[in-house]
């Protein structure tokens, strides 16, 4: 039995790492992909996870599989396809730790997972199925995502969603809005950033956006607010949850680490969805804020996902 299974992109983040003696930019190979980041955060917090997706049968794909397996993530549903190349993302970092992306994904292996590729037994053995929106940008991954959600719902899984908008992976803003919003009514738990509020709901105000999302289906909504923490909302109401002071080195994976912490706290609470109170949601978000604060102090992404003991020490 898995606490959380995630479907979506698993890719290489080539992140800026200084310059060469000739003055040319150097890039460091790092494992990445939002759904995979969430799972590694959960594994380091003591939860069992599995990943569903596709990489190329190449050096980068082998590296990514080995990375997840080293972290304890079940990769029986990860396919290595010799016909496509592992997706690559080149990440430039600003002085504030924020990122700009350039993707080699035309197509990338992550977009090529098809409904018939899904490890249904893994989905059916999961408490939570988590997805993002990058698996909705292209076929056949889009159909695979919808099929996985249907399979999970039939098996009684809780459905989790983080839209994780990347503008240059969509053909247009309108296409992104249509596809990213299409799965919201199916979800139970949803996380989005303050920058994604208007795209997902038509309002840039995090509180109003969370209220609109809650009205469309999800039972608990969290909006990340950068260094300010998060805003959470459930049927009982909404509340801001302050973040933890942190000197930001790299924001890569910050939202993913927050959501990994949030899901860990939710699972550990033993609460059914309709039992989650506002106080519960605040506890989940505070735990997520602590995980995110520790992540951004490091190199970002999978390498910097914190251990449980460090999170508990920060929480006091």
């Amino acid at each position: 039995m898995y606490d959380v299974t995630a479907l979506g992109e698993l890719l290489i983040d080539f992140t800026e790492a200084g310059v060469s003696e000739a003055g040319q930019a150097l890039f460091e190979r790092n494992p990445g992909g939002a759904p995979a980041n969430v799972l590694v955060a959960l594994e380091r917090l003591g939860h069992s996870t599995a990943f569903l997706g596709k990489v190329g049968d190449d050096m980068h794909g082998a590296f990514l599989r080995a990375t997840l397996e080293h972290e304890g993530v079940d990769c029986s549903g990860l396919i290595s396809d010799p016909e496509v190349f592992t997706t690559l993302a080149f990440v430039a970092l600003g002085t504030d730790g924020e990122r700009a992306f350039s993707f080699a994904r035309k197509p990338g292996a992550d977009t090529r997972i098809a409904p018939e590729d899904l490890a249904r037994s893994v989905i059916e053995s999961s408490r939570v199925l988590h997805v993002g929106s990058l698996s909705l940008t292209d076929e056949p991954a889009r159909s695979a995502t919808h099929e996985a959600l249907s399979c999970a719902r039939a098996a009684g899984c809780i459905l989790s969603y983080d839209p994780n908008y990347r503008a240059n992976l969509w053909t247009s803003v309108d296409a992104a809005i249509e596809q990213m919003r299409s799965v919201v009514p199916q979800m139970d738990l949803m996380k989005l950033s303050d920058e994604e509020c208007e795209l997902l709901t038509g309002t840039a105000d995090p509180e109003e956006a969370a209220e609109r999302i809650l009205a469309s289906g999800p039972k608990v909504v969290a909006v990340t607010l950068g260094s300010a923490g998060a805003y959470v909302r459930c049927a009982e109401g909404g509340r801001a949850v302050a973040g933890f002071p942190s000197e930001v080195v790299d924001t890569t994976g910050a939202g993913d680490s927050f959501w990994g912490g949030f899901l860990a706290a939710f699972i550990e609470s033993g609460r059914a969805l309709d039992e989650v109170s506002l106080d519960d949601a605040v506890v989940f978000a505070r735990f997520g804020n602590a995980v995110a604060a520790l992540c951004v102090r490091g190199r970002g992404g999978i390498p910097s996902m914190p251990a449980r003991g460090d999170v508990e020490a920060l929480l006091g």
Side-chain angles (χ1 to χ4, degrees):
M1 184 71 181
Y2 306 102
D3 288 332
V4 180
T5 290
L7 178 147
E9 71 276 11
L10 178 60
L11 49 80
I12 299 293
D13 281 334
F14 278 113
T15 308
E16 276 192 326
V19 296
S20 69
E21 292 182 0
Q24 300 301 314
L26 297 174
F27 289 84
E28 180 182 64
R29 182 178 72 166
N30 287 299
N37 289 339
V38 171
L39 296 186
V40 172
L42 281 155
E43 284 286 344
R44 294 196 182 177
L45 295 170
H47 290 272
S48 57
T49 69
F51 184 82
L52 306 178
K54 183 173 283 194
V55 293
D57 186 12
D58 51 45
M59 62 184 291
H60 297 309
F63 166 70
L64 290 169
R65 181 184 294 275
T67 298
L68 289 192
E69 290 178 343
H70 174 74
E71 295 290 344
V73 179
D74 183 289
C75 291
S76 59
L78 174 61
I79 298 167
S80 297
D81 188 339
E83 299 300 318
V84 284
F85 197 73
T86 299
T87 301
L88 309 178
F90 292 86
V91 188
L93 294 176
T95 55
D96 59 355
E98 290 296 333
R99 305 151 297 157
F101 293 86
S102 180
F103 290 90
R105 191 187 189 233
K106 299 180 179 179
D110 70 294
T111 68
R112 308 313 297 164
I113 186 168
E116 57 268 25
D117 295 325
L118 294 172
R120 295 171 186 272
S121 61
V122 173
I123 297 173
E124 292 165 352
S125 299
S126 305
R127 180 170 182 187
V128 177
L129 175 69
H130 173 70
V131 300
S133 69
L134 297 195
S135 58
L136 297 172
T137 61
D138 297 271
E139 291 289 3
R142 182 183 301 160
S143 292
T145 302
H146 286 288
E147 182 63 24
L149 291 172
S150 296
C151 179
R153 180 61 77 194
C157 300
I158 293 168
L159 301 185
S160 163
Y161 180 43
D162 176 4
N164 196 34
Y165 179 59
R166 296 286 178 263
N168 53 357
L169 291 181
W170 294 92
T171 56
S172 68
V173 174
D174 288 342
I177 290 173
E178 177 185 2
Q179 295 301 326
M180 291 170 71
R181 293 184 182 184
S182 69
V183 297
V184 172
Q186 302 179 55
M187 297 301 160
D188 300 306
L189 303 171
M190 184 168 165
K191 172 258 170 190
L192 69 162
S193 72
D194 50 354
E195 296 175 344
E196 294 161 342
C197 285
E198 188 166 8
L199 195 73
L200 269 294
T201 69
T203 178
D205 180 74
E207 295 186 20
E208 187 176 349
E211 185 175 1
R212 292 184 184 184
I213 290 172
L214 201 74
S216 69
K219 304 297 188 297
V220 184
V221 179
V223 182
T224 54
L225 306 173
S227 60
Y231 176 82
V232 291
R233 192 169 189 90
C234 62
E236 191 178 325
R239 192 180 303 165
V241 185
F244 291 84
S246 181
E247 183 178 344
V248 177
V249 175
D250 184 349
T251 61
T252 302
D256 307 326
S257 59
F258 167 84
W259 198 234
F262 190 102
L263 291 176
F266 164 71
I267 290 167
E268 290 161 19
S269 75
R271 294 279 197 269
L273 283 166
D274 57 4
E275 295 174 343
V276 175
S277 68
L278 181 55
D279 285 343
D280 290 329
V282 168
V283 170
F284 305 161
R286 186 167 183 269
F287 195 85
N289 283 341
V291 179
L294 291 169
C295 179
V296 300
R297 292 175 187 177
R299 293 160 52 204
I302 286 175
S304 292
M305 294 298 173
R308 186 175 196 96
D310 295 329
V311 177
E312 292 176 343
L314 180 60
L315 288 166

